[in-house]
Amino acid sequence: MKNNSPQKQAAISWIILMIGILLAVIGAMMAKEYRVNLCLLIGAMAVVGGIVYHLTMMKCPYCGCSLVGYRPIPKECPKCHKKFEE
């Protein structure tokens, strides 16, 4: 089985979100007269993509139980009780 630990998936989704937010802020600062520019649009799409990635990929690699909403990320699955690889 591949190393699909929830910690790794959470880190990837946070990286996508931070890149999207950075692009959106840069795009908003470059926008003139309340127009949407390409950088702002790409940043907004990256933020939405990061959220979708987080909601779909934060699950147990063994049973598929969703781990969205668990803070902090558990060390084992609350449903099947198998430990996650680091």
Side-chain angles (χ1 to χ4, degrees), residues 16-22 24 42-53:
I16 294 170
L17 279 170
M18 291 303 121
I19 290 172
I21 290 170
L22 180 67
I42 291 172
M45 289 191 314
V47 168
V48 171
I51 292 170
V52 170
Y53 182 86

Side-chain angles (χ1 to χ4, degrees), residues 35-54:
R35 289 189 178 170
V36 176
N37 59 8
L38 185 61
C39 190
L40 179 62
L41 186 62
I42 291 172
M45 289 191 314
V47 168
V48 171
I51 292 170
V52 170
Y53 182 86
H54 184 78

Side-chain angles (χ1 to χ4, degrees), residues 7-83:
Q7 290 84 4
K8 179 182 171 186
Q9 301 302 330
I12 291 171
S13 65
W14 276 107
I15 289 170
I16 294 170
L17 279 170
M18 291 303 121
I19 290 172
I21 290 170
L22 180 67
L23 286 172
V25 167
I26 291 171
M29 289 174 26
M30 293 183 343
K32 295 179 182 172
E33 299 176 5
Y34 300 104
R35 289 189 178 170
V36 176
N37 59 8
L38 185 61
C39 190
L40 179 62
L41 186 62
I42 291 172
M45 289 191 314
V47 168
V48 171
I51 292 170
V52 170
Y53 182 86
H54 184 78
L55 292 175
T56 58
M57 299 303 290
M58 283 297 297
K59 58 185 175 183
C60 174
Y62 304 107
C63 68
C65 174
S66 176
L67 299 174
V68 174
Y70 285 95
R71 296 291 177 257
I73 299 171
K75 301 289 183 194
E76 68 178 26
C77 178
K79 185 175 179 183
C80 68
H81 301 289
K82 290 186 180 180
K83 294 207 180 285

